[in-house]
Amino acid sequence: MMSTLNVPTQHGGIVVPLDMFRPSHLAGIVSEVLVGKARNILDAKMVITRHPASQIVLITINGSVIDGEPAKFWKENVDLAIAMSQVLRTQCFLYYAKTAPADERREGFVVAQRGQALAADDATADSQPATGEGHWPVEKLCEQLRITMEDLATGFAGGPSVELSVMEPSIDDQAALMTLAGQPGEGGEASDGTDASKPGEATDGTTADDAAKPKKLTLEDDLKRRAKEKAAEVDAMEQRAKNARADLEVAMDDLGIVVCPKAELGEPDILAPFVVGKIDGDLPPGVPREHIETLQGKRSDIAVTVDFLSEVLLGNNPLSRKEFDEGAKPASMAGKDVRTMEVLAPRLGYGMLISTGKAPHVFVSRRAGTALPEALVAKLLAG
């Protein structure tokens, strides 16, 4: 619990490792998302601050768009983290916290990577036990990141920081990253304002031992590295897709076919080709050709296991255990007592989540009221 006086009791933002990202690109993403929601961002500023003692940064937003309630803003705009995670190489953590008054306390976070929500947690004062500290997600997150709640609340006070307009994010990205990293800028001045030059420096800025120094990474170098990594990712994705469609397990019914690709729900690029509302001509990759005549005009769907409820969305937010327990409907499937709920799989569409109450759960890309392949689902639920 925070006890320091004058520490904000309501705050939020996105925490990411310090990396070679473009601050202007991130601000542009925020602009696109918020303008799409008809939010006023004319005076909105993005502030990126590095923790004074570690290589993580906190991204916050200032301005009237926050409306004096940062915790509420970030809770209602978790899609900002999902959108940013599409251009960031590492996981990002969106969090929100309101620590006072005690009976209104609320904390939560969403973990996103590559455009997908990987995990989420949320807690309110009402959900806590009558005795003890209870479970507070952001406090636990701070423990994992080896920072404090006060660090977050004060915006990593004392660390190097850059600020740019969300509406017009014009900034020298390389200089901004050097500021965050605490490295000297182009003028030979370090981030603390001291002269970075050394005795014996030549007029062109080089020294006798420059050849022994590692070359500083530039944005051009980073772009080349990213291109190589992207090519490697494409090759890996092609191999994953090939493996996913090998020896497909399938179930046939009056609506069409349901297949079980060897892929996870967080791999929509691999799964999407198997979700077809009406087959007309060729079958999805890997589906046995012997079914081509039978399946014309019918559906193709997927059934995949899901380890975490938060992998699917209810509305615009990752599904929580509480929401599933309160909203799922009881059913019987192949002799098993299960609960079902219609959910949204990011970039795949709506479908049914079926669960026995523990992992693995199963997602089938068919909407509520539609027949499900019960024997296949029961087999997947059994692990």
Side-chain angles (χ1 to χ4, degrees):
M1 294 288 290
M2 290 187 299
S3 58
T4 306
L5 296 177
N6 300 321
V7 172
T9 60
Q10 188 176 164
H11 48 99
I14 296 176
V15 180
V16 298
L18 178 60
D19 200 357
M20 291 294 291
F21 55 75
R22 293 176 177 267
S24 62
H25 196 174
L26 297 183
I29 290 172
V30 172
S31 175
E32 183 177 349
V33 171
L34 295 181
V35 168
K37 298 180 179 182
R39 302 296 294 270
N40 177 14
I41 61 169
L42 292 177
D43 65 342
K45 302 287 186 181
M46 171 184 282
V47 180
I48 308 176
T49 307
R50 179 173 63 81
H51 190 278
S54 64
Q55 294 299 304
I56 58 175
V57 298
L58 172 64
I59 301 172
T60 57
I61 296 175
N62 296 332
S64 57
V65 68
I66 300 296
D67 196 25
E69 297 187 86
K72 179 181 179 182
F73 171 84
W74 289 104
K75 181 181 183 301
E76 293 179 347
N77 292 280
V78 297
D79 48 348
L80 287 175
I82 294 173
M84 283 190 191
S85 72
Q86 296 183 48
V87 300
L88 293 169
R89 295 191 305 160
T90 56
Q91 291 182 352
C92 60
F93 303 82
L94 180 147
Y95 87 96
Y96 49 88
K98 182 178 181 180
T99 55
D103 60 345
E104 296 180 11
R105 184 174 179 181
R106 183 162 200 165
E107 293 183 13
F109 67 80
V110 174
V111 184
Q113 187 172 22
R114 296 184 179 180
Q116 303 291 321
L118 303 183
D121 201 355
D122 180 82
T124 64
D126 293 339
S127 67
Q128 303 305 309
T131 59
E133 287 294 310
H135 169 72
W136 294 107
V138 180
E139 280 192 349
K140 297 297 183 182
L141 179 62
C142 287
E143 291 176 6
Q144 294 176 11
L145 297 177
R146 297 183 180 180
I147 59 177
T148 68
M149 279 285 281
E150 184 176 340
D151 289 336
L152 288 178
T154 57
F156 288 177
S161 183
V162 296
E163 179 181 290
L164 62 161
S165 167
V166 171
M167 194 69 179
E168 298 179 356
S170 57
I171 192 173
D172 184 328
D173 287 316
Q174 184 172 356
L177 288 176
M178 292 176 72
T179 296
L180 292 172
Q183 297 178 357
E186 293 182 357
E189 186 175 278
S191 60
D192 61 0
T194 60
D195 189 352
S197 62
K198 296 181 179 180
E201 186 176 33
T203 55
D204 64 355
T206 63
T207 61
D209 62 343
D210 276 345
K213 295 180 180 178
K215 182 181 178 181
K216 290 183 179 178
L217 183 65
T218 67
L219 288 181
E220 182 179 357
D221 294 330
D222 184 58
L223 289 175
K224 290 179 180 179
R225 175 181 55 76
R226 286 175 183 259
K228 290 181 180 179
E229 291 179 350
K230 183 64 176 179
E233 287 179 2
V234 170
D235 290 342
M237 182 63 72
E238 290 177 352
Q239 185 59 48
R240 285 282 297 131
K242 181 179 179 180
N243 295 339
R245 58 178 179 259
D247 302 321
L248 283 176
E249 187 170 2
V250 305
M252 304 280 290
D253 60 17
D254 292 340
L255 294 179
I257 190 170
V258 179
V259 302
C260 297
K262 300 177 184 68
E264 299 178 356
L265 200 61
E267 299 176 297
D269 291 335
I270 293 177
L271 296 175
F274 298 101
V275 183
V276 182
K278 184 177 181 179
I279 296 173
D280 183 10
D282 289 341
L283 297 176
V287 175
R289 299 288 297 175
E290 64 194 66
H291 300 304
I292 190 167
E293 296 294 335
T294 305
L295 291 175
Q296 294 303 304
K298 295 187 177 181
R299 297 180 55 89
S300 173
D301 290 288
I302 58 170
V304 294
T305 56
V306 177
D307 290 327
F308 302 100
L309 296 177
S310 56
E311 293 181 53
V312 298
L313 306 179
L314 184 64
N316 292 322
N317 296 312
L319 178 64
S320 68
R321 167 61 65 178
K322 180 179 180 181
E323 289 171 327
F324 183 79
D325 289 343
E326 292 178 350
K329 298 180 180 179
S332 178
M333 193 164 293
K336 287 181 174 289
D337 291 329
V338 298
R339 296 179 67 83
T340 66
M341 173 180 278
E342 186 173 82
V343 296
L344 177 65
R347 296 173 57 195
L348 289 173
Y350 287 95
M352 295 299 294
L353 186 70
I354 305 102
S355 175
T356 59
K358 61 181 181 179
H361 321 287
V362 174
F363 173 84
V364 180
S365 59
R366 290 184 175 180
R367 301 201 67 161
T370 304
L372 298 174
E374 295 191 8
L376 181 58
V377 171
K379 182 177 179 179
L380 293 175
L381 287 172

